[in-house]
Amino acid sequence: MSEEKALKVGPSGIEVAYERFGDPQAPPVLLIMGIAIQMSGWPDGFCAELVARGLQPIRFDNRDVGLSSHFPGAPTPDLQAALDGDMSSASYTLSDMAADAVGLLDVLGLDRAHLVGSSMGGAIAQTIAIEHPGRVLSLTSMMSTTGDPSVGQAKPEALAALAGPAPQGRQDVIDQMVRAVRALGSPGFEIDEAAVADRAGRSFDRAYDPLGVARQAVASVASGDRTDRLRSLDVPTLVIHGADDLMCDVSGGRATAAAIPGAELVVIDGMGHDLPRALWPEIATRIAGLAQAAEARSAHD
């Protein structure tokens, strides 16, 4: 299905670019991406794996990336100040991004959905489950953390791979993304650099907004620790994390699973901070299994 745009989404009234796959009557799975990554970060092939398992994946651009609304008039984001405790440059928080996602469900006429979030998207999915529990059928949090600064931190080599000024041209953006995936991707699996480069180029062509990415990063820092609120969740939950994740240490996944009652933790050897093609079938199967169990539970509620 081709991309569409939802208008007047959520309390902020933003525009959200999205795409649906599969049978519109199948259980909906809302795919939520991380910082800087457009909806194409959920590859077509991965979405096809979910469709093949009887699900209806819906991917979308978060605010400030891709073709969803950007906020150029907002305060200039200062990530270092936020890390030092000064949140004055935060234009919004993960709660606002969670409300965007729920607003998209409203526009699509979906009462509830299965949530799958990656990295910051996992934090957004957790926030939806905390703040909008009636909209969530199941929660899958991947390569994410709780917001507790003592867990899930990036390794120095990960930060080094991302250091430096924002790339300015299309080829620079492509080159940086390939370097980042080489450094942060899954050492136990083949990296499809051609696919990474193609996706980076197409993303640049759709929209390139380094300040938008920085606003997302500040929002993530400003949203704080969710651990205590995660303990109150009552939703079927799967936590997937790579044992070799340099960008979000596996301690973040372990802490997430420990905080959410009944959560299942799956740690995958050789997996880093990406979604390698070789793991698509396994991850899709695990998401589908959780969704099926949650659908059965919902039918009996």
Side-chain angles (χ1 to χ4, degrees):
M1 177 172 189
S2 61
E3 290 182 21
E4 299 188 55
K5 185 165 289 186
L7 307 178
K8 299 180 179 178
V9 173
S12 299
I14 68 169
E15 297 182 359
V16 174
Y18 71 94
E19 192 169 12
R20 301 172 80 168
F21 298 84
D23 181 354
Q25 302 304 314
V29 178
L30 192 65
L31 301 173
I32 310 171
M33 237 322 138
I35 290 173
I37 308 300
Q38 300 180 21
M39 61 176 158
S40 59
W42 300 106
D44 291 357
F46 179 72
C47 293
E49 295 282 354
L50 295 173
V51 170
R53 288 159 178 78
L55 300 173
Q56 178 201 169
I58 303 164
R59 63 185 183 183
F60 68 101
D61 290 330
N62 284 311
R63 61 167 66 193
D64 263 333
V65 297
L67 300 182
S68 291
S69 291
H70 293 239
F71 296 83
T76 300
D78 188 336
L79 179 57
Q80 187 56 56
L83 291 170
D84 292 339
D86 176 3
M87 307 301 172
S88 61
S89 72
S91 306
Y92 50 83
T93 67
L94 296 185
S95 292
D96 297 303
M97 300 181 80
D100 296 341
V102 172
L104 178 59
L105 296 181
D106 290 338
V107 171
L108 298 179
L110 297 171
D111 290 334
R112 295 193 289 175
H114 302 279
L115 305 182
V116 178
S118 171
S119 196
M120 181 189 71
I124 295 170
Q126 294 170 25
T127 303
I128 297 171
I130 290 166
E131 298 180 359
H132 309 272
R135 310 304 296 274
V136 182
L137 285 164
S138 72
L139 168 63
T140 300
S141 180
M142 298 170 51
M143 51 188 114
S144 192
T145 186
T146 60
D148 177 350
S150 71
V151 297
Q153 291 302 301
K155 303 291 187 184
E157 55 265 44
L159 298 176
L162 299 175
Q168 294 305 308
R170 188 179 195 272
Q171 191 59 49
D172 285 347
V173 168
I174 292 171
D175 292 344
Q176 185 200 51
M177 181 59 71
V178 171
R179 286 195 302 270
V181 172
R182 285 174 182 164
L184 307 177
S186 299
F189 300 92
E190 181 180 356
I191 296 174
D192 187 344
E193 292 191 4
V196 171
D198 176 68
R199 186 161 59 246
R202 287 187 287 113
S203 294
F204 180 89
D205 294 340
R206 290 177 84 235
Y208 179 58
D209 183 1
L211 282 179
V213 171
R215 286 190 289 271
Q216 289 187 342
V218 171
S220 185
V221 175
S223 297
D225 185 356
R226 293 174 296 281
T227 304
D228 287 343
R229 294 184 295 162
L230 290 171
R231 294 192 177 106
S232 70
L233 293 186
D234 180 21
V235 61
T237 299
L238 172 64
V239 177
I240 299 175
H241 215 105
D244 299 283
D245 191 334
L246 300 181
M247 192 64 207
C248 181
D249 184 75
V250 69
S251 59
R254 295 190 190 281
T256 303
I260 300 174
E264 177 187 3
L265 173 65
V266 176
V267 176
I268 300 177
D269 289 337
M271 180 179 174
H273 202 72
D274 67 342
L275 196 60
R277 181 184 296 271
L279 289 177
W280 293 353
E282 177 183 350
I283 291 174
T285 296
R286 290 186 181 278
I287 291 169
L290 178 70
Q292 290 160 5
E295 293 282 334
R297 166 177 148 158
S298 176
H300 287 93
D301 285 347

